[in-house]
């Protein structure tokens, strides 16, 4: 009996399996280790049959087929990875472009801020100049108004009676005769161009009489009457009245601000006087001191109580 030659069975010793390390792909994909994959291919490879040696699929064919599958698998995964990488690259490029655009915008905003700051400085300088010009023009207008009133006298405390209001010119002449008749004796021109109450409308809620403004034809006569009024109390038919220089309302308010200090200085014997337009002068320690503002006088008083 002929001995049939049995094909040598290929050794199929299993290697010690190593636990394949996982390769983390993008977005959490996991791929088996190549060495473990090759072990699985060898284990799953078909064993040749013992008969006539005609196996349906040889090991080489199976290995070739599995290699192609593995190559296709890796090519597919590589393509996916490349697409994801390109997507990330595009996002990165877009982010870089946006970052550059933001930097350019920031530089532009900084330049705009510098320009606006310079413009603000110029506007502040222009505003300061305008304020100085406005103050100069305001003072100029007030000075012109005061000079336009240089021939006027303001009579304060004259009673509000119809017989007085209708004959103000004659009442003023009576006041001159009663308080400074020497002016008439010297032949001074005491005539007035006009005289009127101010304000023109009577306020029923106001108890004090309205002031009387009288415009004299002679500036010299007006000054003589004013000098006499500074020396003594004027009266009209026995009633006390005050005669002062007619000035602009703003100048009068500035003078009124000195009233309290003026009275205190008079009590102390400092011989106070209000000079044009609203300047206080006093006589102290043998010298004449002048103050344009109340703050200046307060500082002076602190040093010399």
């Amino acid at each position: 009996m002929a001995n049939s030659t049995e094909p040598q069975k290929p050794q199929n010793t299993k290697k010690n399996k190593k636990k394949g390390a996982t390769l983390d792909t993008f977005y959490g994909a996991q791929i088996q280790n190549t060495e473990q994959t090759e072990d699985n291919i060898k284990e799953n490879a078909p064993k040749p049959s013992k008969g006539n040696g005609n196996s349906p699929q040889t090991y080489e064919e199976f290995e070739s087929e599995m290699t192609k599958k593995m190559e296709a698998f890796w090519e597919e995964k590589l393509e996916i990875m490349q697409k994801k990488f390109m997507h990330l690259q595009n996002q990165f490029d877009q982010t870089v472009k946006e970052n550059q655009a933001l930097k350019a915008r920031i530089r532009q905003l900084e330049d705009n801020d510098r320009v606006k700051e310079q413009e603000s400085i110029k506007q502040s300088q222009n505003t300061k100049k305008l304020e100085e010009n406005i103050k100069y023009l305001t003072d100029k207008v007030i000075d012109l108004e005061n000079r336009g009133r240089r021939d006027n006298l303001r009579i304060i405390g004259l009673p509000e009676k119809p017989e007085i209001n209708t004959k103000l010119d004659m009442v003023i002449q009576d006041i001159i005769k009663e308080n400074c008749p020497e002016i008439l004796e010297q032949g001074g021109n005491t005539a007035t161009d006009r005289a009127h109450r101010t304000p023109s409308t009577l306020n029923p809620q106001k108890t004090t009489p309205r002031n009387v403004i009288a415009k004299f034809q002679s500036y010299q006569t007006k000054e003589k009457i004013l000098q006499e009024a500074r020396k003594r109390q004027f009266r009209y038919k026995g009633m006390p009245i005050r005669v002062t220089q007619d000035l602009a309302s703003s100048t009068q308010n500035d003078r009124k601000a000195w009233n309290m200090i003026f009275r205190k200085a008079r009590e102390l014997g400092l011989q106070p006087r209000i000079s044009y337009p609203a300047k206080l002068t006093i006589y102290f320690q043998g010298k004449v001191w002048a103050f344009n503002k109340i703050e200046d006088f307060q500082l002076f008083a602190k040093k010399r109580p």
Side-chain angles (χ1 to χ4, degrees):
M1 184 175 177
N3 293 330
S4 61
T5 60
E6 205 175 29
Q8 187 176 358
K9 184 177 181 181
Q11 296 181 355
N12 190 16
T13 59
K14 293 183 179 180
K15 297 180 181 179
N16 292 330
K17 293 183 179 179
K18 299 180 181 180
K19 292 184 179 181
T22 60
L23 177 63
D24 292 337
T25 61
F26 293 98
Y27 304 100
Q30 296 182 348
I31 303 174
Q32 293 181 344
N33 187 276
T34 305
E35 183 178 355
Q36 183 178 0
T37 304
E38 292 178 353
D39 291 343
N40 291 336
I41 292 173
K42 292 180 180 179
E43 289 178 358
N44 295 328
K47 300 177 181 179
S49 59
K50 293 183 179 181
N52 53 8
N54 295 325
S55 59
Q57 187 178 19
T58 63
Y59 175 78
E60 289 78 6
E61 292 175 350
F62 176 76
E63 185 177 15
S64 176
E65 183 180 354
M66 292 303 296
T67 301
K68 292 179 180 179
K69 289 182 178 181
M70 289 297 297
E71 289 177 353
F73 172 79
W74 283 110
E75 288 178 356
E76 182 181 359
K77 293 298 181 183
L78 180 62
E79 185 178 357
I80 294 173
M81 291 171 62
Q82 288 177 346
K83 289 181 179 179
K84 292 180 177 180
F85 176 78
M86 291 299 297
H87 178 69
L88 292 175
Q89 184 66 36
N90 292 334
Q91 288 183 341
F92 176 77
D93 295 340
Q94 184 66 24
T95 303
V96 171
K97 291 180 180 179
E98 292 177 355
N99 188 25
Q100 292 176 350
L102 289 174
K103 287 182 178 179
R105 180 61 177 167
I106 290 172
R107 286 194 296 269
Q108 183 180 2
L109 291 175
E110 290 176 349
D111 294 339
N112 292 339
D113 288 340
R114 282 192 292 269
V115 172
K116 289 181 179 179
E117 185 177 358
Q118 294 175 356
E119 291 179 352
S120 177
I121 294 173
K122 292 180 180 179
Q123 288 291 339
S124 300
Q125 294 174 350
N126 293 335
T127 302
K128 186 177 180 180
K129 291 181 180 179
L130 288 175
E131 290 175 351
E132 292 175 352
N133 291 337
I134 291 172
K135 185 179 183 304
Y136 170 77
L137 293 175
T138 303
D139 294 341
K140 191 70 174 177
V141 170
I142 294 173
D143 182 66
L144 290 173
E145 184 178 358
N146 288 329
R147 293 182 184 278
R149 296 169 180 257
R150 63 198 305 259
D151 296 334
N152 298 354
L153 283 179
R154 181 180 291 265
I155 304 173
I156 304 171
L158 197 64
E160 283 270 3
K161 295 180 180 180
E163 60 271 17
I164 294 177
N165 293 341
T166 56
K167 300 177 181 180
L168 286 175
D169 293 335
M170 297 177 62
V171 170
I172 293 171
Q173 297 299 322
D174 294 339
I175 292 173
I176 296 173
K177 290 178 183 179
E178 183 177 352
N179 295 276
C180 45
E182 64 274 8
I183 296 177
L184 295 175
E185 295 174 359
Q186 294 172 3
N189 182 12
T190 59
T192 57
D193 285 338
R194 58 183 176 273
H196 62 90
R197 293 275 187 178
T198 180
S200 57
T201 304
L202 177 63
N203 185 1
Q205 297 180 353
K206 191 173 181 180
T207 58
T208 58
R210 293 173 294 169
N211 297 343
V212 174
I213 306 297
K215 180 177 175 58
F216 286 81
Q217 294 179 357
S218 173
Y219 171 77
Q220 290 77 12
T221 302
K222 187 269 308 182
E223 282 294 312
K224 289 179 181 180
I225 297 172
L226 185 61
Q227 290 175 5
E228 293 296 327
R230 288 170 179 170
K231 294 177 183 179
R232 59 182 181 272
Q233 177 73 57
F234 270 32
R235 294 180 179 276
Y236 174 68
K237 295 182 179 181
M239 294 180 296
I241 59 174
R242 284 177 54 207
V243 177
T244 63
Q245 174 67 46
D246 181 37
L247 297 169
S249 59
S250 58
T251 305
Q252 291 179 16
N253 293 333
D254 293 340
R255 289 193 169 199
K256 287 180 181 178
W258 289 106
N259 285 347
M260 184 180 296
I261 297 174
F262 185 88
R263 289 194 295 267
K264 187 65 177 177
R266 176 177 288 179
E267 292 175 2
L268 296 174
L270 300 178
Q271 303 176 15
R273 182 178 176 182
I274 302 296
S275 302
Y276 180 82
K279 182 170 62 175
L280 175 69
T281 59
I282 61 173
Y283 185 78
F284 180 70
Q285 293 181 349
K287 297 180 180 179
V288 177
W289 303 81
F291 308 95
N292 292 319
K293 297 180 180 179
I294 296 179
E295 293 79 5
D296 298 337
F297 178 82
Q298 291 173 345
L299 183 61
F300 172 83
K302 288 181 180 179
K303 295 180 179 180
R304 298 171 178 82

